[in-house]
Amino acid sequence: MDIIFNLLLVTVMGLIAVIAGMFEDLESDVASTSNPNSQVQLAPQVGKLHKLFNRAVSGEPLLVGTMATIAGTICYCLLTSNTSVIFALLISTLIATTIQVIFSITSYMGRITSQALYNQPLFMDMLIKHLPTMAAHAFINLFSILLLSYIMVYLLNPPIALTLPITTAFLGIALGSIGSAVGDIHYGAEKLYQTFEFGAGISVSNNGNITTVSPLGSRNSIDVVEFCSKFAGPLTGLCFGIVIFLSFWITMVFGIVYGLIVSLILIILLVVINMLLERKSRNMYGEYEK
């Protein structure tokens, strides 16, 4: 019965991880945390004034890991004080989300005002429009990470040999890394560079030369997150969900030693499939045009 219960928990963990990955990626899109951020930062220097959110001070792994650790630490303190689990999870997530929103406000205003040299205005309506969307995505993301960590530490049998804050830190860093890598495939660059041919890459001479006009007025980061919700968000969630599910499922079914062997076989198989897919794509579409 224990293995059946654990497998059910692992399945639930995989679904929670999908949600966490999806909303982490979309939150970083609306706040311009990763790949597009450098282009948004460069835009005013080449005369492209914009109404895109520009938050990033550090990359996604550090940001998500830090906020998840804050939530995990607060939740751990509440749980040790015999607070109900639901209350501890919600309050911890709410506090961490509030801190992330404050961080977003200060970093956005600091970055935009530093571009006053290039006549980039500070649009206060940007904060009013983007912060609620950002906060909603961040809350779901952090709550999912916290709930995932709680299941690992308190419900699995046997539980993982880590405390709740450490588990949330590792999961936050891992998720931020996946969002920064997988989500970057369709992470807003296509939306920002619609005037250039897709797949051709962006030359250094065109850096910052982004599209700032949308069909309904000035382009903003909500336009970008709407675009990324069709592919980048679900793909990031799927990747994180598969990582969490397979990491626990393999060891539970095959044990530690055989689980490592099966994991190695899966990695080799995925590398081969990726190589064959890339080779087929290159043969079908050819190299990029010069």
Side-chain angles (χ1 to χ4, degrees):
M1 291 298 294
D2 284 343
I3 189 171
I4 295 177
F5 179 72
N6 280 340
L7 288 175
L8 288 174
L9 281 181
V10 169
T11 304
V12 173
M13 287 163 54
L15 294 175
I16 296 172
V18 170
I19 297 173
M22 185 183 306
F23 282 92
E24 186 281 330
D25 181 79
L26 298 181
E27 192 277 337
S28 65
D29 287 326
V30 74
S32 190
T33 301
S34 190
N35 188 33
N37 179 75
S38 58
Q39 303 304 321
V40 174
Q41 178 77 359
L42 286 170
Q45 301 179 31
V46 295
K48 293 287 185 176
L49 305 184
H50 61 80
K51 296 190 72 174
L52 293 159
F53 209 92
N54 191 11
R55 178 183 71 185
V57 174
S58 58
E60 285 179 76
L62 183 58
L63 174 64
V64 180
T66 300
M67 297 304 162
T69 305
I70 292 173
T73 303
I74 296 173
C75 185
Y76 179 77
C77 294
L78 292 174
L79 291 175
T80 54
S81 302
N82 296 322
T83 307
S84 67
V85 175
I86 298 299
F87 180 80
L89 292 173
L90 289 174
I91 291 299
S92 303
T93 306
L94 182 61
I95 294 174
T97 302
T98 303
I99 294 173
Q100 185 163 332
V101 169
I102 294 173
F103 169 79
S104 301
I105 295 172
T106 55
S107 57
Y108 167 75
M109 296 184 73
R111 278 213 158 190
I112 294 299
T113 53
S114 69
Q115 296 172 336
L117 176 65
Y118 310 106
N119 299 317
Q120 171 64 50
L122 172 62
F123 296 101
M124 296 304 296
D125 64 324
M126 284 291 297
L127 293 174
I128 298 173
K129 291 179 180 178
H130 286 71
L131 287 178
T133 305
M134 194 182 306
H137 286 81
F139 183 89
I140 298 174
N141 166 42
L142 293 174
F143 182 82
S144 299
I145 294 175
L146 193 55
L147 180 59
L148 191 60
S149 303
Y150 178 83
I151 294 174
M152 292 180 182
V153 175
Y154 294 103
L155 297 183
L156 281 179
N157 186 24
I160 63 174
L162 295 172
T163 61
L164 188 62
I166 300 299
T167 305
T168 53
F170 284 147
L171 287 181
I173 293 172
L175 177 53
S177 301
I178 291 172
S180 183
V182 177
D184 274 1
I185 297 172
H186 284 271
Y187 206 61
E190 294 88 346
K191 193 71 173 174
L192 297 176
Y193 283 101
Q194 286 187 336
T195 54
F196 295 90
E197 184 179 358
F198 175 76
I202 305 300
S203 64
V204 175
S205 60
N206 289 324
N207 279 356
N209 188 17
I210 60 177
T211 305
T212 60
V213 178
S214 68
L216 296 177
S218 299
R219 174 157 298 168
N220 58 48
S221 295
I222 296 179
D223 296 323
V224 176
V225 75
E226 186 272 337
F227 172 79
C228 293
S229 64
K230 300 175 182 178
F231 186 78
L235 186 63
T236 303
L238 181 62
C239 179
F240 188 52
I242 291 175
V243 169
I244 294 298
F245 178 78
L246 289 182
S247 298
F248 286 89
W249 179 82
I250 289 175
T251 54
M252 286 181 181
V253 174
F254 298 99
I256 301 297
V257 178
Y258 290 108
L260 292 175
I261 298 174
V262 173
S263 299
L264 181 60
I265 294 174
L266 281 176
I267 291 173
I268 295 174
L269 183 62
L270 289 173
V271 170
V272 172
I273 292 174
N274 183 72
M275 182 183 66
L276 294 175
L277 180 62
E278 182 179 357
R279 182 177 298 174
K280 180 179 178 181
S281 300
R282 289 187 180 276
N283 291 334
M284 183 180 297
Y285 298 106
E287 299 180 354
Y288 292 143
E289 295 181 2
K290 294 182 180 180

